Structure formats: C-alpha cells, structure tokens
Amino acid sequence: MSAVRTQWASPGCLHSPRLSTRSVKIAVCVKFPATIKTLLLKQSFALTRLLNPPLTLSMSFSSSSCMDGSYAEIVVVRHGETEWNADGRIQGHLDVELNEAGKQQAALVADRLSKEPKISAVYSSDLKRALVTAETIAAKCGGLEVITDPDLRERNLGELQGLVFREAAKLSPKAHKAFLSHRTDQDIPGGGESLGHLFQRCTSSLQRIGNKHKGMPDHLSKGERVVVVSHGGVIRSLYKRACPNGKSGGKVLNTSVNIFHLCDEEWTIKSWGDVSHLQQTGYLESGFGGDKTSG
C-alpha cells in the first residue's frame, strides 16, 4: 500500500492579479508495513484530508481604489449539513432544516469567525438551513442581527426538488436533462431557474452588499468585513463572477469559508474553500451538493 501526497495547483483565475499558490504537483510514494494497512484503511477519510488540504488562494490587490481601503471584505459561507444533504436529495428552494451535524458545523465556523477580525454585519438566504447557520454566526460575533435576502437562495430546481439525485434521471428525465445542460438560458421544468437567472440575482445581491460596506477612498475609512451565508449553487456563481476565465472552483463543502474583496465592480478572491475549522472533526465532507448537484 502506498500514499501519494500532492500539492494543490491553483485554479486559473485570470481575473485576479496574482496567486501565491504555485501550480506545482509533487508526488511522493511511501511504502507502509502490512501491519498498519488495516489501520490506514480505517483512517482513510482523515488521511485523505491530510494529504489534500483545502485550497487557499492568496491575492494581492493592484487596483488603486482597493489599495486605499475602499473595498468590502465579504466572507461567504455555505450553510451547514441537512438530512437531505446526507441522503443525496435535491433541495433547491425547499426549506430543509440543519441536522445535528449541520448544527455542529455552524457552531465550529461561528467560533472560528468570532476569533478573526471584527464582523460588521451578517446576511443570509431566507431558507432555514442558511438562516440558522447565519444566526449561529451572528450570535457568536457580537449578537448581530441577521439580514435576510431571498436573492441569496439556492437555485430553484423545479421538478427535481425533493428527488434523490441518483434517481432523478429516471423519475424526471426532461428536468434532469435541462439540469445537465450547459446553456445558461435553460430553465428547468416545474418552475426551475436557468443558470443565467441564478447568476444575475445572486451576484447583484452580493454587489449591493459590497457597495454598502466598502470604505471611502480617502485613506482613512477602511471597508467593513461582513458575512454572507448562502448555498452551493450560489457560491459557485459568485466564483464565476470573480473568476470568469478561471477553472471551476470545485465542490463547495458545508460551512466552507470563501472570502471575496469587492471594490466597486471589481471582484477578487482572497481565499477559497477553507474548511480548516472542521479539521479533526467528523463533520468535514459528509454533505451532498455544493457542486453541480446544488445544495
């Protein structure tokens, strides 16, 4: 048995000025004695996370308006896990609550953010799984009031909502085909949204938040740091807005931390997919969705 250790390569986010993560992959094979093979197999989940740490991008800001502190730092967090996440069931606009694992994830990310620079405001989708996550963060970060915005909701997936993903092609073939389409104007039967509509509503929401919390370009007023709690499909759209020419951001894990800097119409990503607060816990990657399957 051998383990392969790799260093993450940064996605091709051409919109961002510079990435400090080097696009290098190094493979190291280590032979393990037979006596510990069984133990390693049992600990494969922990080993996988150790050998594949969350991707973090370090950015520098070349825009003069950002250099003077007039950007807003927006910490975008995916909601905690739900039973439907764990079961592989498509949620969309259906209002599913956090399960116990999700509540623990919310508490862990809230504790983390409370120890970081001051949070000035907390925004959230109005769906329970996001709202409860946001309320947990707000309570830990000074008892802030959560501001809800329906434009931060997950994509409406029409007839697919409530179906187990692996059965969707059989139970609703037309909706499933529309869902897999790469066309941005393709609606999903049953009132579902196109990718283009999702992109427009959620990026407009984040832009409004950024405009409200950015500082003044006077070298004296720094922009504020705020939290936005939303959903996997939404966060992937926000990534696309910041990195229009970049590779996919990959799966968005439950309570992952993704930091955006918004300077007027210019968006950059400071860090992506950070789940370090979930390390050494059992709540890391059990959730469903956060990628093309939405959640």
Side-chain angles (χ1 to χ4, degrees):
M1 179 178 179
S2 62
V4 177
R5 185 170 189 166
T6 62
Q7 178 177 331
W8 280 80
S10 61
C13 184
L14 302 181
H15 185 67
S16 303
R18 187 179 76 241
L19 303 181
S20 66
T21 306
R22 298 172 59 191
S23 298
V24 177
K25 180 177 285 188
I26 302 173
V28 179
C29 292
V30 181
K31 298 294 183 180
F32 296 102
T35 53
I36 66 170
K37 286 184 179 179
T38 301
L39 177 61
L40 286 175
L41 287 171
K42 290 181 179 180
Q43 296 180 340
S44 59
F45 174 76
L47 184 61
T48 298
R49 294 311 303 169
L50 176 63
L51 299 183
N52 295 280
L55 176 62
T56 300
L57 310 181
S58 297
M59 304 288 184
S60 64
F61 299 93
S62 58
S63 168
S64 59
S65 59
C66 286
M67 287 296 289
D68 61 27
S70 62
Y71 63 88
E73 181 164 282
I74 304 182
V75 182
V76 181
V77 180
R78 187 187 175 207
H79 63 79
E81 184 185 283
T82 70
E83 283 301 325
W84 283 27
N85 285 154
D87 293 342
R89 193 173 295 277
I90 299 171
Q91 296 174 124
H93 276 198
L94 298 184
D95 207 4
V96 184
E97 297 186 6
L98 297 180
N99 61 12
E100 287 305 311
K103 293 175 183 177
Q104 290 296 322
Q105 290 170 335
L108 288 164
V109 74
D111 184 65
R112 170 201 170 150
L113 293 174
S114 72
K115 298 173 182 176
E116 295 182 356
K118 178 185 175 182
I119 300 297
S120 298
V122 178
Y123 294 83
S124 176
S125 156
D126 60 346
L127 296 176
K128 291 177 184 176
R129 56 191 183 274
L131 181 56
V132 172
T133 302
E135 289 172 342
T136 304
I137 294 170
K140 192 72 174 180
C141 294
L144 298 169
E145 180 180 354
V146 177
I147 304 166
T148 59
D149 184 350
D151 284 344
L152 294 170
R153 281 187 175 194
E154 181 57 283
R155 181 184 181 188
N156 187 324
L157 295 170
E159 293 178 3
L160 297 177
Q161 295 179 161
L163 301 182
V164 175
F165 184 73
R166 63 179 177 273
E167 300 173 354
K170 179 180 179 181
L171 296 176
S172 188
K174 290 183 179 179
H176 184 261
K177 182 179 179 180
F179 175 70
L180 296 180
S181 171
H182 294 293
R183 288 177 46 187
T184 58
D185 62 348
Q186 176 65 66
D187 293 330
I188 297 177
E193 291 177 280
S194 67
L195 287 171
H197 186 270
L198 168 67
F199 181 91
Q200 179 61 36
R201 70 167 167 83
C202 68
T203 57
S204 295
S205 175
L206 205 72
Q207 187 68 64
R208 291 194 299 271
I209 293 169
N211 292 342
K212 182 177 180 180
H213 292 281
K214 75 182 183 71
M216 299 297 293
D218 55 8
H219 298 273
L220 297 175
S221 176
K222 293 291 184 181
E224 293 179 313
R225 191 170 197 251
V226 302
V227 169
V228 169
V229 182
S230 192
H231 308 262
V234 167
I235 297 172
R236 284 170 58 82
S237 289
L238 301 180
Y239 179 92
K240 186 66 175 176
R241 168 65 176 81
C243 297
N245 300 312
K247 297 178 182 178
S248 169
K251 186 172 183 179
V252 181
L253 300 179
N254 291 113
T255 67
S256 61
V257 172
N258 310 280
I259 302 178
F260 293 75
H261 282 192
L262 269 63
C263 177
D264 296 324
E265 297 295 320
E266 179 185 348
W267 293 27
T268 52
I269 295 176
K270 181 179 179 182
S271 67
W272 182 260
D274 188 347
V275 285
S276 56
H277 53 283
L278 299 182
Q279 299 290 0
Q280 311 304 320
T281 74
Y283 303 113
L284 190 56
E285 260 189 306
S286 55
F288 163 84
D291 52 13
K292 190 170 175 60
T293 58
S294 291

PDB file of all heavy atoms in Angstrom, residues 25-50:
ATOM      1  N   LYS A  25       2.774  20.175  -8.818  1.00  0.00           N
ATOM      2  CA  LYS A  25       2.299  18.950  -8.186  1.00  0.00           C
ATOM      3  C   LYS A  25       3.505  18.043  -7.951  1.00  0.00           C
ATOM      4  O   LYS A  25       4.273  17.759  -8.863  1.00  0.00           O
ATOM      5  CB  LYS A  25       1.266  18.243  -9.056  1.00  0.00           C
ATOM      6  CG  LYS A  25       0.750  16.946  -8.423  1.00  0.00           C
ATOM      7  CD  LYS A  25      -0.319  16.295  -9.260  1.00  0.00           C
ATOM      8  CE  LYS A  25      -1.620  17.025  -9.135  1.00  0.00           C
ATOM      9  NZ  LYS A  25      -2.721  16.303  -9.793  1.00  0.00           N
ATOM     10  N   ILE A  26       3.659  17.598  -6.711  1.00  0.00           N
ATOM     11  CA  ILE A  26       4.771  16.726  -6.352  1.00  0.00           C
ATOM     12  C   ILE A  26       4.193  15.439  -5.783  1.00  0.00           C
ATOM     13  O   ILE A  26       3.392  15.469  -4.848  1.00  0.00           O
ATOM     14  CB  ILE A  26       5.677  17.389  -5.301  1.00  0.00           C
ATOM     15  CG1 ILE A  26       6.208  18.730  -5.845  1.00  0.00           C
ATOM     16  CG2 ILE A  26       6.827  16.464  -4.928  1.00  0.00           C
ATOM     17  CD1 ILE A  26       6.975  19.531  -4.819  1.00  0.00           C
ATOM     18  N   ALA A  27       4.563  14.312  -6.345  1.00  0.00           N
ATOM     19  CA  ALA A  27       4.077  13.024  -5.863  1.00  0.00           C
ATOM     20  C   ALA A  27       5.179  12.314  -5.097  1.00  0.00           C
ATOM     21  O   ALA A  27       6.316  12.217  -5.564  1.00  0.00           O
ATOM     22  CB  ALA A  27       3.628  12.159  -7.038  1.00  0.00           C
ATOM     23  N   VAL A  28       4.852  11.846  -3.902  1.00  0.00           N
ATOM     24  CA  VAL A  28       5.812  11.102  -3.092  1.00  0.00           C
ATOM     25  C   VAL A  28       5.164   9.794  -2.679  1.00  0.00           C
ATOM     26  O   VAL A  28       4.105   9.803  -2.051  1.00  0.00           O
ATOM     27  CB  VAL A  28       6.218  11.912  -1.835  1.00  0.00           C
ATOM     28  CG1 VAL A  28       7.192  11.104  -1.002  1.00  0.00           C
ATOM     29  CG2 VAL A  28       6.822  13.252  -2.234  1.00  0.00           C
ATOM     30  N   CYS A  29       5.749   8.678  -3.036  1.00  0.00           N
ATOM     31  CA  CYS A  29       5.204   7.376  -2.681  1.00  0.00           C
ATOM     32  C   CYS A  29       5.908   6.849  -1.445  1.00  0.00           C
ATOM     33  O   CYS A  29       7.139   6.820  -1.373  1.00  0.00           O
ATOM     34  CB  CYS A  29       5.367   6.385  -3.834  1.00  0.00           C
ATOM     35  SG  CYS A  29       4.339   6.816  -5.242  1.00  0.00           S
ATOM     36  N   VAL A  30       5.100   6.444  -0.467  1.00  0.00           N
ATOM     37  CA  VAL A  30       5.657   5.912   0.770  1.00  0.00           C
ATOM     38  C   VAL A  30       5.126   4.508   0.977  1.00  0.00           C
ATOM     39  O   VAL A  30       3.915   4.293   0.929  1.00  0.00           O
ATOM     40  CB  VAL A  30       5.239   6.808   1.972  1.00  0.00           C
ATOM     41  CG1 VAL A  30       5.838   6.266   3.257  1.00  0.00           C
ATOM     42  CG2 VAL A  30       5.657   8.248   1.719  1.00  0.00           C
ATOM     43  N   LYS A  31       5.972   3.544   1.185  1.00  0.00           N
ATOM     44  CA  LYS A  31       5.565   2.170   1.441  1.00  0.00           C
ATOM     45  C   LYS A  31       5.287   1.971   2.924  1.00  0.00           C
ATOM     46  O   LYS A  31       6.100   2.320   3.778  1.00  0.00           O
ATOM     47  CB  LYS A  31       6.670   1.191   0.991  1.00  0.00           C
ATOM     48  CG  LYS A  31       6.982   1.240  -0.499  1.00  0.00           C
ATOM     49  CD  LYS A  31       5.804   0.765  -1.327  1.00  0.00           C
ATOM     50  CE  LYS A  31       6.138   0.733  -2.810  1.00  0.00           C
ATOM     51  NZ  LYS A  31       5.022   0.267  -3.630  1.00  0.00           N
ATOM     52  N   PHE A  32       4.132   1.383   3.229  1.00  0.00           N
ATOM     53  CA  PHE A  32       3.765   1.138   4.609  1.00  0.00           C
ATOM     54  C   PHE A  32       3.842  -0.359   4.917  1.00  0.00           C
ATOM     55  O   PHE A  32       3.440  -1.178   4.088  1.00  0.00           O
ATOM     56  CB  PHE A  32       2.324   1.619   4.878  1.00  0.00           C
ATOM     57  CG  PHE A  32       2.158   3.102   4.721  1.00  0.00           C
ATOM     58  CD1 PHE A  32       1.579   3.635   3.577  1.00  0.00           C
ATOM     59  CD2 PHE A  32       2.583   3.965   5.714  1.00  0.00           C
ATOM     60  CE1 PHE A  32       1.422   5.002   3.427  1.00  0.00           C
ATOM     61  CE2 PHE A  32       2.423   5.342   5.582  1.00  0.00           C
ATOM     62  CZ  PHE A  32       1.853   5.845   4.435  1.00  0.00           C
ATOM     63  N   PRO A  33       4.298  -0.726   6.116  1.00  0.00           N
ATOM     64  CA  PRO A  33       4.318  -2.143   6.502  1.00  0.00           C
ATOM     65  C   PRO A  33       2.908  -2.711   6.516  1.00  0.00           C
ATOM     66  O   PRO A  33       1.934  -2.005   6.775  1.00  0.00           O
ATOM     67  CB  PRO A  33       4.910  -2.104   7.922  1.00  0.00           C
ATOM     68  CG  PRO A  33       5.627  -0.792   8.006  1.00  0.00           C
ATOM     69  CD  PRO A  33       4.869   0.152   7.136  1.00  0.00           C
ATOM     70  N   ALA A  34       2.810  -4.007   6.269  1.00  0.00           N
ATOM     71  CA  ALA A  34       1.497  -4.660   6.212  1.00  0.00           C
ATOM     72  C   ALA A  34       0.748  -4.540   7.524  1.00  0.00           C
ATOM     73  O   ALA A  34      -0.476  -4.522   7.557  1.00  0.00           O
ATOM     74  CB  ALA A  34       1.669  -6.137   5.837  1.00  0.00           C
ATOM     75  N   THR A  35       1.482  -4.439   8.636  1.00  0.00           N
ATOM     76  CA  THR A  35       0.834  -4.405   9.946  1.00  0.00           C
ATOM     77  C   THR A  35      -0.015  -3.167  10.173  1.00  0.00           C
ATOM     78  O   THR A  35      -0.886  -3.159  11.030  1.00  0.00           O
ATOM     79  CB  THR A  35       1.894  -4.464  11.066  1.00  0.00           C
ATOM     80  OG1 THR A  35       2.855  -3.424  10.832  1.00  0.00           O
ATOM     81  CG2 THR A  35       2.588  -5.817  11.079  1.00  0.00           C
ATOM     82  N   ILE A  36       0.223  -2.099   9.401  1.00  0.00           N
ATOM     83  CA  ILE A  36      -0.581  -0.897   9.614  1.00  0.00           C
ATOM     84  C   ILE A  36      -1.539  -0.621   8.465  1.00  0.00           C
ATOM     85  O   ILE A  36      -2.217   0.392   8.445  1.00  0.00           O
ATOM     86  CB  ILE A  36       0.313   0.329   9.853  1.00  0.00           C
ATOM     87  CG1 ILE A  36       1.123   0.655   8.600  1.00  0.00           C
ATOM     88  CG2 ILE A  36       1.212   0.134  11.054  1.00  0.00           C
ATOM     89  CD1 ILE A  36       1.838   1.985   8.692  1.00  0.00           C
ATOM     90  N   LYS A  37      -1.600  -1.528   7.480  1.00  0.00           N
ATOM     91  CA  LYS A  37      -2.503  -1.315   6.354  1.00  0.00           C
ATOM     92  C   LYS A  37      -3.947  -1.189   6.804  1.00  0.00           C
ATOM     93  O   LYS A  37      -4.688  -0.317   6.360  1.00  0.00           O
ATOM     94  CB  LYS A  37      -2.377  -2.449   5.336  1.00  0.00           C
ATOM     95  CG  LYS A  37      -1.097  -2.382   4.514  1.00  0.00           C
ATOM     96  CD  LYS A  37      -1.083  -3.482   3.471  1.00  0.00           C
ATOM     97  CE  LYS A  37       0.186  -3.405   2.634  1.00  0.00           C
ATOM     98  NZ  LYS A  37       0.223  -4.484   1.618  1.00  0.00           N
ATOM     99  N   THR A  38      -4.373  -2.085   7.695  1.00  0.00           N
ATOM    100  CA  THR A  38      -5.754  -2.072   8.151  1.00  0.00           C
ATOM    101  C   THR A  38      -6.095  -0.766   8.847  1.00  0.00           C
ATOM    102  O   THR A  38      -7.142  -0.167   8.630  1.00  0.00           O
ATOM    103  CB  THR A  38      -6.009  -3.255   9.107  1.00  0.00           C
ATOM    104  OG1 THR A  38      -5.730  -4.463   8.418  1.00  0.00           O
ATOM    105  CG2 THR A  38      -7.460  -3.259   9.580  1.00  0.00           C
ATOM    106  N   LEU A  39      -5.171  -0.307   9.713  1.00  0.00           N
ATOM    107  CA  LEU A  39      -5.391   0.944  10.422  1.00  0.00           C
ATOM    108  C   LEU A  39      -5.524   2.110   9.462  1.00  0.00           C
ATOM    109  O   LEU A  39      -6.395   2.962   9.610  1.00  0.00           O
ATOM    110  CB  LEU A  39      -4.232   1.196  11.393  1.00  0.00           C
ATOM    111  CG  LEU A  39      -4.283   2.519  12.177  1.00  0.00           C
ATOM    112  CD1 LEU A  39      -5.536   2.559  13.043  1.00  0.00           C
ATOM    113  CD2 LEU A  39      -3.035   2.671  13.029  1.00  0.00           C
ATOM    114  N   LEU A  40      -4.671   2.120   8.437  1.00  0.00           N
ATOM    115  CA  LEU A  40      -4.722   3.211   7.463  1.00  0.00           C
ATOM    116  C   LEU A  40      -6.016   3.198   6.667  1.00  0.00           C
ATOM    117  O   LEU A  40      -6.565   4.247   6.335  1.00  0.00           O
ATOM    118  CB  LEU A  40      -3.521   3.146   6.522  1.00  0.00           C
ATOM    119  CG  LEU A  40      -2.185   3.571   7.127  1.00  0.00           C
ATOM    120  CD1 LEU A  40      -1.060   3.344   6.131  1.00  0.00           C
ATOM    121  CD2 LEU A  40      -2.222   5.025   7.548  1.00  0.00           C
ATOM    122  N   LEU A  41      -6.500   2.000   6.349  1.00  0.00           N
ATOM    123  CA  LEU A  41      -7.762   1.903   5.628  1.00  0.00           C
ATOM    124  C   LEU A  41      -8.900   2.463   6.462  1.00  0.00           C
ATOM    125  O   LEU A  41      -9.775   3.166   5.962  1.00  0.00           O
ATOM    126  CB  LEU A  41      -8.049   0.448   5.246  1.00  0.00           C
ATOM    127  CG  LEU A  41      -7.195  -0.115   4.111  1.00  0.00           C
ATOM    128  CD1 LEU A  41      -7.428  -1.609   3.977  1.00  0.00           C
ATOM    129  CD2 LEU A  41      -7.529   0.601   2.805  1.00  0.00           C
ATOM    130  N   LYS A  42      -8.886   2.167   7.754  1.00  0.00           N
ATOM    131  CA  LYS A  42      -9.940   2.661   8.634  1.00  0.00           C
ATOM    132  C   LYS A  42      -9.877   4.180   8.776  1.00  0.00           C
ATOM    133  O   LYS A  42     -10.867   4.833   9.038  1.00  0.00           O
ATOM    134  CB  LYS A  42      -9.816   2.009  10.023  1.00  0.00           C
ATOM    135  CG  LYS A  42     -10.170   0.535  10.040  1.00  0.00           C
ATOM    136  CD  LYS A  42     -10.049  -0.037  11.451  1.00  0.00           C
ATOM    137  CE  LYS A  42     -10.436  -1.512  11.485  1.00  0.00           C
ATOM    138  NZ  LYS A  42     -10.316  -2.083  12.838  1.00  0.00           N
ATOM    139  N   GLN A  43      -8.666   4.714   8.624  1.00  0.00           N
ATOM    140  CA  GLN A  43      -8.491   6.151   8.784  1.00  0.00           C
ATOM    141  C   GLN A  43      -8.360   6.859   7.445  1.00  0.00           C
ATOM    142  O   GLN A  43      -7.829   7.959   7.353  1.00  0.00           O
ATOM    143  CB  GLN A  43      -7.250   6.429   9.634  1.00  0.00           C
ATOM    144  CG  GLN A  43      -7.371   5.895  11.050  1.00  0.00           C
ATOM    145  CD  GLN A  43      -6.118   6.184  11.879  1.00  0.00           C
ATOM    146  OE1 GLN A  43      -5.054   6.436  11.324  1.00  0.00           O
ATOM    147  NE2 GLN A  43      -6.261   6.166  13.182  1.00  0.00           N
ATOM    148  N   SER A  44      -8.865   6.222   6.384  1.00  0.00           N
ATOM    149  CA  SER A  44      -8.663   6.769   5.038  1.00  0.00           C
ATOM    150  C   SER A  44      -9.278   8.158   4.882  1.00  0.00           C
ATOM    151  O   SER A  44      -8.752   9.002   4.165  1.00  0.00           O
ATOM    152  CB  SER A  44      -9.247   5.830   3.974  1.00  0.00           C
ATOM    153  OG  SER A  44     -10.621   5.643   4.190  1.00  0.00           O
ATOM    154  N   PHE A  45     -10.405   8.401   5.540  1.00  0.00           N
ATOM    155  CA  PHE A  45     -11.042   9.718   5.416  1.00  0.00           C
ATOM    156  C   PHE A  45     -10.132  10.804   5.966  1.00  0.00           C
ATOM    157  O   PHE A  45      -9.874  11.816   5.330  1.00  0.00           O
ATOM    158  CB  PHE A  45     -12.380   9.726   6.159  1.00  0.00           C
ATOM    159  CG  PHE A  45     -13.018  11.090   6.205  1.00  0.00           C
ATOM    160  CD1 PHE A  45     -13.632  11.600   5.086  1.00  0.00           C
ATOM    161  CD2 PHE A  45     -12.983  11.853   7.355  1.00  0.00           C
ATOM    162  CE1 PHE A  45     -14.211  12.859   5.120  1.00  0.00           C
ATOM    163  CE2 PHE A  45     -13.551  13.100   7.385  1.00  0.00           C
ATOM    164  CZ  PHE A  45     -14.167  13.593   6.274  1.00  0.00           C
ATOM    165  N   ALA A  46      -9.606  10.547   7.185  1.00  0.00           N
ATOM    166  CA  ALA A  46      -8.710  11.531   7.790  1.00  0.00           C
ATOM    167  C   ALA A  46      -7.441  11.700   6.968  1.00  0.00           C
ATOM    168  O   ALA A  46      -6.914  12.802   6.811  1.00  0.00           O
ATOM    169  CB  ALA A  46      -8.364  11.114   9.220  1.00  0.00           C
ATOM    170  N   LEU A  47      -6.916  10.567   6.435  1.00  0.00           N
ATOM    171  CA  LEU A  47      -5.702  10.617   5.641  1.00  0.00           C
ATOM    172  C   LEU A  47      -5.917  11.408   4.364  1.00  0.00           C
ATOM    173  O   LEU A  47      -5.068  12.204   3.945  1.00  0.00           O
ATOM    174  CB  LEU A  47      -5.250   9.193   5.298  1.00  0.00           C
ATOM    175  CG  LEU A  47      -3.919   9.054   4.537  1.00  0.00           C
ATOM    176  CD1 LEU A  47      -2.773   9.620   5.361  1.00  0.00           C
ATOM    177  CD2 LEU A  47      -3.670   7.593   4.193  1.00  0.00           C
ATOM    178  N   THR A  48      -7.078  11.227   3.738  1.00  0.00           N
ATOM    179  CA  THR A  48      -7.385  11.970   2.515  1.00  0.00           C
ATOM    180  C   THR A  48      -7.375  13.466   2.767  1.00  0.00           C
ATOM    181  O   THR A  48      -6.822  14.245   1.987  1.00  0.00           O
ATOM    182  CB  THR A  48      -8.769  11.556   1.970  1.00  0.00           C
ATOM    183  OG1 THR A  48      -8.726  10.173   1.638  1.00  0.00           O
ATOM    184  CG2 THR A  48      -9.128  12.363   0.730  1.00  0.00           C
ATOM    185  N   ARG A  49      -7.969  13.910   3.862  1.00  0.00           N
ATOM    186  CA  ARG A  49      -7.993  15.331   4.168  1.00  0.00           C
ATOM    187  C   ARG A  49      -6.592  15.842   4.499  1.00  0.00           C
ATOM    188  O   ARG A  49      -6.252  16.980   4.194  1.00  0.00           O
ATOM    189  CB  ARG A  49      -8.931  15.622   5.351  1.00  0.00           C
ATOM    190  CG  ARG A  49     -10.392  15.336   5.048  1.00  0.00           C
ATOM    191  CD  ARG A  49     -10.844  15.955   3.761  1.00  0.00           C
ATOM    192  NE  ARG A  49     -10.626  17.397   3.750  1.00  0.00           N
ATOM    193  CZ  ARG A  49     -10.737  18.133   2.672  1.00  0.00           C
ATOM    194  NH1 ARG A  49     -11.029  17.604   1.519  1.00  0.00           N
ATOM    195  NH2 ARG A  49     -10.546  19.442   2.753  1.00  0.00           N
ATOM    196  N   LEU A  50      -5.789  15.024   5.145  1.00  0.00           N
ATOM    197  CA  LEU A  50      -4.432  15.435   5.478  1.00  0.00           C
ATOM    198  C   LEU A  50      -3.598  15.622   4.225  1.00  0.00           C
ATOM    199  O   LEU A  50      -2.848  16.593   4.098  1.00  0.00           O
ATOM    200  CB  LEU A  50      -3.776  14.383   6.386  1.00  0.00           C
ATOM    201  CG  LEU A  50      -2.301  14.629   6.758  1.00  0.00           C
ATOM    202  CD1 LEU A  50      -2.177  15.920   7.566  1.00  0.00           C
ATOM    203  CD2 LEU A  50      -1.752  13.450   7.542  1.00  0.00           C
TER     204      LEU A  50
END
